[in-house]
Amino acid sequence: QVQFVESGGGLVQPGGSLRLSCAAPRTMFSLYAMGWYRQAPGKEREWVASINGGSTSYADSVKGRFTISRDNTKNTVYLQMNSLRPDDTAVYYCNVPAAIKPWGQGTQVTVSS
């Protein structure tokens, strides 16, 4: 059973920063591009960012503020989030964009003053 473990969320003021981490199974991590997703209250889950080798892509809503990266030695993908806004409030998840696997528990990010 695939198991993603997301961490690093919390409560932050508007304009603040957080770095999220997602540990993935080693075999999967080495084979696939990885992505971050989020689900805000009352909304559908949406794609945020992806990384495939050295190539990254972002949703327009986070472009220029968020940075996705990965450490292949730790089987971990990161999401550095800067200039956070209240509408970034959501539960954040990682997964494999090309073939969505069972979702992990996610990590809650709340942006509020």
Side-chain angles (χ1 to χ4, degrees):
Q1 181 176 352
V2 176
Q3 187 171 20
F4 300 110
V5 181
E6 299 94 347
S7 62
L11 173 63
V12 63
Q13 293 186 341
S17 298
L18 284 173
R19 188 176 84 150
L20 307 184
S21 300
C22 170
R26 178 169 53 88
T27 53
M28 174 178 300
F29 197 84
S30 65
L31 291 174
Y32 294 106
M34 294 293 297
W36 282 97
Y37 299 78
R38 67 185 181 185
Q39 187 167 19
K43 296 187 177 180
E44 292 189 354
R45 191 157 14 214
E46 65 176 357
W47 169 76
V48 173
S50 296
I51 184 165
N52 186 5
S55 177
T56 59
S57 56
Y58 300 92
D60 287 344
S61 59
V62 306
K63 200 171 294 183
R65 301 187 298 122
F66 291 10
T67 302
I68 188 171
S69 61
R70 63 193 294 167
D71 185 337
N72 292 336
T73 66
K74 297 181 179 179
N75 306 318
T76 300
V77 60
Y78 303 98
L79 187 67
Q80 177 67 44
M81 307 187 297
N82 299 327
S83 302
L84 282 161
R85 310 186 306 216
D87 60 0
D88 293 316
T89 295
V91 179
Y92 285 71
Y93 305 85
C94 66
N95 214 304
V96 178
I100 295 296
K101 309 300 181 185
W103 296 96
Q105 291 191 331
T107 186
Q108 174 72 49
V109 171
T110 303
V111 185
S112 175
S113 55

PDB file of all heavy atoms in Angstrom, residues 59-87:
ATOM      1  N   ALA A  59       0.899  25.933 -10.430  1.00  0.00           N
ATOM      2  CA  ALA A  59      -0.374  26.572 -10.697  1.00  0.00           C
ATOM      3  C   ALA A  59      -0.176  28.081 -10.705  1.00  0.00           C
ATOM      4  O   ALA A  59       0.684  28.613  -9.987  1.00  0.00           O
ATOM      5  CB  ALA A  59      -1.386  26.175  -9.625  1.00  0.00           C
ATOM      6  N   ASP A  60      -0.972  28.770 -11.504  1.00  0.00           N
ATOM      7  CA  ASP A  60      -0.818  30.224 -11.605  1.00  0.00           C
ATOM      8  C   ASP A  60      -0.965  30.914 -10.258  1.00  0.00           C
ATOM      9  O   ASP A  60      -0.318  31.936  -9.999  1.00  0.00           O
ATOM     10  CB  ASP A  60      -1.857  30.784 -12.580  1.00  0.00           C
ATOM     11  CG  ASP A  60      -1.534  30.448 -14.035  1.00  0.00           C
ATOM     12  OD1 ASP A  60      -0.370  30.063 -14.322  1.00  0.00           O
ATOM     13  OD2 ASP A  60      -2.442  30.567 -14.873  1.00  0.00           O
ATOM     14  N   SER A  61      -1.806  30.357  -9.397  1.00  0.00           N
ATOM     15  CA  SER A  61      -2.092  30.996  -8.107  1.00  0.00           C
ATOM     16  C   SER A  61      -0.898  30.998  -7.166  1.00  0.00           C
ATOM     17  O   SER A  61      -0.877  31.779  -6.208  1.00  0.00           O
ATOM     18  CB  SER A  61      -3.279  30.309  -7.432  1.00  0.00           C
ATOM     19  OG  SER A  61      -3.002  28.933  -7.230  1.00  0.00           O
ATOM     20  N   VAL A  62       0.088  30.141  -7.406  1.00  0.00           N
ATOM     21  CA  VAL A  62       1.237  30.056  -6.489  1.00  0.00           C
ATOM     22  C   VAL A  62       2.553  30.407  -7.174  1.00  0.00           C
ATOM     23  O   VAL A  62       3.591  30.486  -6.511  1.00  0.00           O
ATOM     24  CB  VAL A  62       1.349  28.656  -5.849  1.00  0.00           C
ATOM     25  CG1 VAL A  62       0.035  28.269  -5.184  1.00  0.00           C
ATOM     26  CG2 VAL A  62       1.789  27.605  -6.847  1.00  0.00           C
ATOM     27  N   LYS A  63       2.516  30.616  -8.475  1.00  0.00           N
ATOM     28  CA  LYS A  63       3.738  30.875  -9.228  1.00  0.00           C
ATOM     29  C   LYS A  63       4.437  32.110  -8.685  1.00  0.00           C
ATOM     30  O   LYS A  63       3.799  33.146  -8.435  1.00  0.00           O
ATOM     31  CB  LYS A  63       3.398  31.056 -10.706  1.00  0.00           C
ATOM     32  CG  LYS A  63       4.546  30.855 -11.662  1.00  0.00           C
ATOM     33  CD  LYS A  63       4.047  30.852 -13.095  1.00  0.00           C
ATOM     34  CE  LYS A  63       3.164  29.665 -13.396  1.00  0.00           C
ATOM     35  NZ  LYS A  63       2.735  29.615 -14.822  1.00  0.00           N
ATOM     36  N   GLY A  64       5.748  31.976  -8.466  1.00  0.00           N
ATOM     37  CA  GLY A  64       6.528  33.079  -7.929  1.00  0.00           C
ATOM     38  C   GLY A  64       6.556  33.133  -6.417  1.00  0.00           C
ATOM     39  O   GLY A  64       7.339  33.884  -5.834  1.00  0.00           O
ATOM     40  N   ARG A  65       5.702  32.368  -5.758  1.00  0.00           N
ATOM     41  CA  ARG A  65       5.660  32.344  -4.288  1.00  0.00           C
ATOM     42  C   ARG A  65       6.068  31.003  -3.718  1.00  0.00           C
ATOM     43  O   ARG A  65       6.651  30.934  -2.637  1.00  0.00           O
ATOM     44  CB  ARG A  65       4.247  32.686  -3.799  1.00  0.00           C
ATOM     45  CG  ARG A  65       3.754  34.037  -4.246  1.00  0.00           C
ATOM     46  CD  ARG A  65       2.416  34.389  -3.581  1.00  0.00           C
ATOM     47  NE  ARG A  65       1.350  33.451  -3.923  1.00  0.00           N
ATOM     48  CZ  ARG A  65       0.665  32.740  -3.028  1.00  0.00           C
ATOM     49  NH1 ARG A  65       0.926  32.866  -1.738  1.00  0.00           N
ATOM     50  NH2 ARG A  65      -0.299  31.920  -3.426  1.00  0.00           N
ATOM     51  N   PHE A  66       5.757  29.921  -4.423  1.00  0.00           N
ATOM     52  CA  PHE A  66       6.046  28.562  -3.948  1.00  0.00           C
ATOM     53  C   PHE A  66       7.170  27.959  -4.792  1.00  0.00           C
ATOM     54  O   PHE A  66       7.277  28.232  -5.984  1.00  0.00           O
ATOM     55  CB  PHE A  66       4.818  27.662  -4.073  1.00  0.00           C
ATOM     56  CG  PHE A  66       3.688  27.976  -3.137  1.00  0.00           C
ATOM     57  CD1 PHE A  66       3.654  29.128  -2.366  1.00  0.00           C
ATOM     58  CD2 PHE A  66       2.611  27.092  -3.026  1.00  0.00           C
ATOM     59  CE1 PHE A  66       2.604  29.403  -1.508  1.00  0.00           C
ATOM     60  CE2 PHE A  66       1.556  27.348  -2.174  1.00  0.00           C
ATOM     61  CZ  PHE A  66       1.556  28.505  -1.418  1.00  0.00           C
ATOM     62  N   THR A  67       7.962  27.090  -4.142  1.00  0.00           N
ATOM     63  CA  THR A  67       9.031  26.382  -4.843  1.00  0.00           C
ATOM     64  C   THR A  67       9.002  24.916  -4.442  1.00  0.00           C
ATOM     65  O   THR A  67       9.064  24.593  -3.252  1.00  0.00           O
ATOM     66  CB  THR A  67      10.407  26.974  -4.501  1.00  0.00           C
ATOM     67  OG1 THR A  67      10.432  28.369  -4.831  1.00  0.00           O
ATOM     68  CG2 THR A  67      11.509  26.257  -5.269  1.00  0.00           C
ATOM     69  N   ILE A  68       8.917  24.047  -5.437  1.00  0.00           N
ATOM     70  CA  ILE A  68       8.947  22.610  -5.190  1.00  0.00           C
ATOM     71  C   ILE A  68      10.361  22.096  -5.431  1.00  0.00           C
ATOM     72  O   ILE A  68      11.065  22.568  -6.339  1.00  0.00           O
ATOM     73  CB  ILE A  68       7.922  21.867  -6.083  1.00  0.00           C
ATOM     74  CG1 ILE A  68       7.824  20.393  -5.687  1.00  0.00           C
ATOM     75  CG2 ILE A  68       8.250  22.038  -7.560  1.00  0.00           C
ATOM     76  CD1 ILE A  68       6.679  19.655  -6.392  1.00  0.00           C
ATOM     77  N   SER A  69      10.789  21.156  -4.588  1.00  0.00           N
ATOM     78  CA  SER A  69      12.106  20.550  -4.751  1.00  0.00           C
ATOM     79  C   SER A  69      12.040  19.123  -4.225  1.00  0.00           C
ATOM     80  O   SER A  69      11.052  18.722  -3.600  1.00  0.00           O
ATOM     81  CB  SER A  69      13.176  21.354  -4.012  1.00  0.00           C
ATOM     82  OG  SER A  69      12.905  21.394  -2.627  1.00  0.00           O
ATOM     83  N   ARG A  70      13.090  18.361  -4.496  1.00  0.00           N
ATOM     84  CA  ARG A  70      13.104  16.982  -4.019  1.00  0.00           C
ATOM     85  C   ARG A  70      14.519  16.589  -3.627  1.00  0.00           C
ATOM     86  O   ARG A  70      15.489  17.103  -4.190  1.00  0.00           O
ATOM     87  CB  ARG A  70      12.553  16.026  -5.073  1.00  0.00           C
ATOM     88  CG  ARG A  70      13.349  15.962  -6.352  1.00  0.00           C
ATOM     89  CD  ARG A  70      12.574  15.236  -7.458  1.00  0.00           C
ATOM     90  NE  ARG A  70      12.364  13.815  -7.162  1.00  0.00           N
ATOM     91  CZ  ARG A  70      11.518  13.045  -7.842  1.00  0.00           C
ATOM     92  NH1 ARG A  70      10.784  13.559  -8.814  1.00  0.00           N
ATOM     93  NH2 ARG A  70      11.397  11.764  -7.533  1.00  0.00           N
ATOM     94  N   ASP A  71      14.602  15.692  -2.655  1.00  0.00           N
ATOM     95  CA  ASP A  71      15.880  15.126  -2.231  1.00  0.00           C
ATOM     96  C   ASP A  71      15.785  13.628  -2.466  1.00  0.00           C
ATOM     97  O   ASP A  71      15.142  12.910  -1.694  1.00  0.00           O
ATOM     98  CB  ASP A  71      16.140  15.454  -0.762  1.00  0.00           C
ATOM     99  CG  ASP A  71      17.514  14.984  -0.295  1.00  0.00           C
ATOM    100  OD1 ASP A  71      18.083  14.060  -0.908  1.00  0.00           O
ATOM    101  OD2 ASP A  71      18.007  15.539   0.694  1.00  0.00           O
ATOM    102  N   ASN A  72      16.420  13.156  -3.529  1.00  0.00           N
ATOM    103  CA  ASN A  72      16.310  11.744  -3.885  1.00  0.00           C
ATOM    104  C   ASN A  72      16.970  10.837  -2.857  1.00  0.00           C
ATOM    105  O   ASN A  72      16.606   9.668  -2.732  1.00  0.00           O
ATOM    106  CB  ASN A  72      16.909  11.507  -5.268  1.00  0.00           C
ATOM    107  CG  ASN A  72      16.090  12.165  -6.358  1.00  0.00           C
ATOM    108  OD1 ASN A  72      14.897  12.412  -6.194  1.00  0.00           O
ATOM    109  ND2 ASN A  72      16.735  12.483  -7.465  1.00  0.00           N
ATOM    110  N   THR A  73      17.930  11.359  -2.108  1.00  0.00           N
ATOM    111  CA  THR A  73      18.597  10.527  -1.099  1.00  0.00           C
ATOM    112  C   THR A  73      17.703  10.291   0.113  1.00  0.00           C
ATOM    113  O   THR A  73      17.920   9.346   0.872  1.00  0.00           O
ATOM    114  CB  THR A  73      19.908  11.165  -0.642  1.00  0.00           C
ATOM    115  OG1 THR A  73      19.627  12.384   0.045  1.00  0.00           O
ATOM    116  CG2 THR A  73      20.823  11.447  -1.818  1.00  0.00           C
ATOM    117  N   LYS A  74      16.705  11.151   0.284  1.00  0.00           N
ATOM    118  CA  LYS A  74      15.792  11.021   1.425  1.00  0.00           C
ATOM    119  C   LYS A  74      14.382  10.636   1.002  1.00  0.00           C
ATOM    120  O   LYS A  74      13.482  10.574   1.845  1.00  0.00           O
ATOM    121  CB  LYS A  74      15.753  12.340   2.201  1.00  0.00           C
ATOM    122  CG  LYS A  74      17.073  12.740   2.816  1.00  0.00           C
ATOM    123  CD  LYS A  74      16.957  14.049   3.596  1.00  0.00           C
ATOM    124  CE  LYS A  74      18.283  14.426   4.233  1.00  0.00           C
ATOM    125  NZ  LYS A  74      18.190  15.704   4.981  1.00  0.00           N
ATOM    126  N   ASN A  75      14.184  10.425  -0.304  1.00  0.00           N
ATOM    127  CA  ASN A  75      12.846  10.080  -0.816  1.00  0.00           C
ATOM    128  C   ASN A  75      11.817  11.102  -0.352  1.00  0.00           C
ATOM    129  O   ASN A  75      10.702  10.740   0.065  1.00  0.00           O
ATOM    130  CB  ASN A  75      12.447   8.675  -0.372  1.00  0.00           C
ATOM    131  CG  ASN A  75      13.481   7.649  -0.757  1.00  0.00           C
ATOM    132  OD1 ASN A  75      14.024   7.678  -1.856  1.00  0.00           O
ATOM    133  ND2 ASN A  75      13.784   6.758   0.168  1.00  0.00           N
ATOM    134  N   THR A  76      12.179  12.353  -0.409  1.00  0.00           N
ATOM    135  CA  THR A  76      11.338  13.417   0.130  1.00  0.00           C
ATOM    136  C   THR A  76      11.182  14.535  -0.889  1.00  0.00           C
ATOM    137  O   THR A  76      12.154  14.913  -1.561  1.00  0.00           O
ATOM    138  CB  THR A  76      11.937  13.979   1.429  1.00  0.00           C
ATOM    139  OG1 THR A  76      12.019  12.919   2.392  1.00  0.00           O
ATOM    140  CG2 THR A  76      11.069  15.096   1.994  1.00  0.00           C
ATOM    141  N   VAL A  77       9.963  15.037  -0.993  1.00  0.00           N
ATOM    142  CA  VAL A  77       9.691  16.200  -1.821  1.00  0.00           C
ATOM    143  C   VAL A  77       9.245  17.335  -0.904  1.00  0.00           C
ATOM    144  O   VAL A  77       8.571  17.101   0.110  1.00  0.00           O
ATOM    145  CB  VAL A  77       8.629  15.891  -2.899  1.00  0.00           C
ATOM    146  CG1 VAL A  77       7.314  15.453  -2.278  1.00  0.00           C
ATOM    147  CG2 VAL A  77       8.426  17.058  -3.830  1.00  0.00           C
ATOM    148  N   TYR A  78       9.675  18.547  -1.232  1.00  0.00           N
ATOM    149  CA  TYR A  78       9.422  19.715  -0.395  1.00  0.00           C
ATOM    150  C   TYR A  78       8.580  20.742  -1.148  1.00  0.00           C
ATOM    151  O   TYR A  78       8.574  20.783  -2.380  1.00  0.00           O
ATOM    152  CB  TYR A  78      10.735  20.369   0.018  1.00  0.00           C
ATOM    153  CG  TYR A  78      11.681  19.449   0.747  1.00  0.00           C
ATOM    154  CD1 TYR A  78      12.727  18.806   0.080  1.00  0.00           C
ATOM    155  CD2 TYR A  78      11.532  19.205   2.107  1.00  0.00           C
ATOM    156  CE1 TYR A  78      13.586  17.951   0.739  1.00  0.00           C
ATOM    157  CE2 TYR A  78      12.393  18.359   2.782  1.00  0.00           C
ATOM    158  CZ  TYR A  78      13.417  17.731   2.086  1.00  0.00           C
ATOM    159  OH  TYR A  78      14.273  16.884   2.755  1.00  0.00           O
ATOM    160  N   LEU A  79       7.913  21.582  -0.378  1.00  0.00           N
ATOM    161  CA  LEU A  79       7.222  22.735  -0.936  1.00  0.00           C
ATOM    162  C   LEU A  79       7.529  23.932  -0.050  1.00  0.00           C
ATOM    163  O   LEU A  79       7.037  24.015   1.080  1.00  0.00           O
ATOM    164  CB  LEU A  79       5.714  22.503  -1.026  1.00  0.00           C
ATOM    165  CG  LEU A  79       4.939  23.594  -1.763  1.00  0.00           C
ATOM    166  CD1 LEU A  79       5.308  23.595  -3.247  1.00  0.00           C
ATOM    167  CD2 LEU A  79       3.434  23.412  -1.591  1.00  0.00           C
ATOM    168  N   GLN A  80       8.378  24.811  -0.545  1.00  0.00           N
ATOM    169  CA  GLN A  80       8.674  26.060   0.154  1.00  0.00           C
ATOM    170  C   GLN A  80       7.616  27.068  -0.232  1.00  0.00           C
ATOM    171  O   GLN A  80       7.453  27.365  -1.420  1.00  0.00           O
ATOM    172  CB  GLN A  80      10.071  26.559  -0.222  1.00  0.00           C
ATOM    173  CG  GLN A  80      10.428  27.890   0.401  1.00  0.00           C
ATOM    174  CD  GLN A  80      10.574  27.807   1.908  1.00  0.00           C
ATOM    175  OE1 GLN A  80      11.174  26.878   2.433  1.00  0.00           O
ATOM    176  NE2 GLN A  80      10.032  28.789   2.628  1.00  0.00           N
ATOM    177  N   MET A  81       6.911  27.578   0.760  1.00  0.00           N
ATOM    178  CA  MET A  81       5.807  28.506   0.521  1.00  0.00           C
ATOM    179  C   MET A  81       6.145  29.843   1.152  1.00  0.00           C
ATOM    180  O   MET A  81       6.308  29.934   2.373  1.00  0.00           O
ATOM    181  CB  MET A  81       4.513  27.941   1.094  1.00  0.00           C
ATOM    182  CG  MET A  81       4.193  26.531   0.610  1.00  0.00           C
ATOM    183  SD  MET A  81       2.569  25.958   1.145  1.00  0.00           S
ATOM    184  CE  MET A  81       2.796  25.951   2.917  1.00  0.00           C
ATOM    185  N   ASN A  82       6.257  30.861   0.331  1.00  0.00           N
ATOM    186  CA  ASN A  82       6.546  32.217   0.797  1.00  0.00           C
ATOM    187  C   ASN A  82       5.374  33.138   0.463  1.00  0.00           C
ATOM    188  O   ASN A  82       4.516  32.800  -0.358  1.00  0.00           O
ATOM    189  CB  ASN A  82       7.817  32.741   0.135  1.00  0.00           C
ATOM    190  CG  ASN A  82       9.039  31.906   0.454  1.00  0.00           C
ATOM    191  OD1 ASN A  82       9.152  31.341   1.546  1.00  0.00           O
ATOM    192  ND2 ASN A  82       9.970  31.824  -0.484  1.00  0.00           N
ATOM    193  N   SER A  83       5.365  34.288   1.095  1.00  0.00           N
ATOM    194  CA  SER A  83       4.319  35.292   0.850  1.00  0.00           C
ATOM    195  C   SER A  83       2.936  34.663   0.939  1.00  0.00           C
ATOM    196  O   SER A  83       2.081  34.874   0.070  1.00  0.00           O
ATOM    197  CB  SER A  83       4.520  35.937  -0.523  1.00  0.00           C
ATOM    198  OG  SER A  83       5.793  36.538  -0.622  1.00  0.00           O
ATOM    199  N   LEU A  84       2.722  33.913   1.986  1.00  0.00           N
ATOM    200  CA  LEU A  84       1.462  33.196   2.124  1.00  0.00           C
ATOM    201  C   LEU A  84       0.290  34.145   2.287  1.00  0.00           C
ATOM    202  O   LEU A  84       0.408  35.222   2.898  1.00  0.00           O
ATOM    203  CB  LEU A  84       1.544  32.224   3.303  1.00  0.00           C
ATOM    204  CG  LEU A  84       2.323  30.944   2.997  1.00  0.00           C
ATOM    205  CD1 LEU A  84       2.761  30.254   4.287  1.00  0.00           C
ATOM    206  CD2 LEU A  84       1.482  30.012   2.145  1.00  0.00           C
ATOM    207  N   ARG A  85      -0.841  33.729   1.741  1.00  0.00           N
ATOM    208  CA  ARG A  85      -2.076  34.515   1.757  1.00  0.00           C
ATOM    209  C   ARG A  85      -3.176  33.689   2.408  1.00  0.00           C
ATOM    210  O   ARG A  85      -3.113  32.455   2.419  1.00  0.00           O
ATOM    211  CB  ARG A  85      -2.478  34.888   0.329  1.00  0.00           C
ATOM    212  CG  ARG A  85      -1.366  35.498  -0.479  1.00  0.00           C
ATOM    213  CD  ARG A  85      -1.785  35.991  -1.827  1.00  0.00           C
ATOM    214  NE  ARG A  85      -2.452  35.009  -2.658  1.00  0.00           N
ATOM    215  CZ  ARG A  85      -2.292  34.935  -3.972  1.00  0.00           C
ATOM    216  NH1 ARG A  85      -1.459  35.770  -4.579  1.00  0.00           N
ATOM    217  NH2 ARG A  85      -2.955  34.049  -4.666  1.00  0.00           N
ATOM    218  N   PRO A  86      -4.219  34.346   2.906  1.00  0.00           N
ATOM    219  CA  PRO A  86      -5.324  33.589   3.517  1.00  0.00           C
ATOM    220  C   PRO A  86      -5.926  32.550   2.567  1.00  0.00           C
ATOM    221  O   PRO A  86      -6.353  31.479   3.022  1.00  0.00           O
ATOM    222  CB  PRO A  86      -6.329  34.678   3.868  1.00  0.00           C
ATOM    223  CG  PRO A  86      -5.471  35.878   4.162  1.00  0.00           C
ATOM    224  CD  PRO A  86      -4.356  35.796   3.155  1.00  0.00           C
ATOM    225  N   ASP A  87      -5.932  32.818   1.265  1.00  0.00           N
ATOM    226  CA  ASP A  87      -6.523  31.841   0.348  1.00  0.00           C
ATOM    227  C   ASP A  87      -5.598  30.660   0.057  1.00  0.00           C
ATOM    228  O   ASP A  87      -5.957  29.767  -0.722  1.00  0.00           O
ATOM    229  CB  ASP A  87      -6.984  32.502  -0.958  1.00  0.00           C
ATOM    230  CG  ASP A  87      -5.864  33.172  -1.726  1.00  0.00           C
ATOM    231  OD1 ASP A  87      -4.700  33.143  -1.266  1.00  0.00           O
ATOM    232  OD2 ASP A  87      -6.150  33.734  -2.798  1.00  0.00           O
TER     233      ASP A  87
END
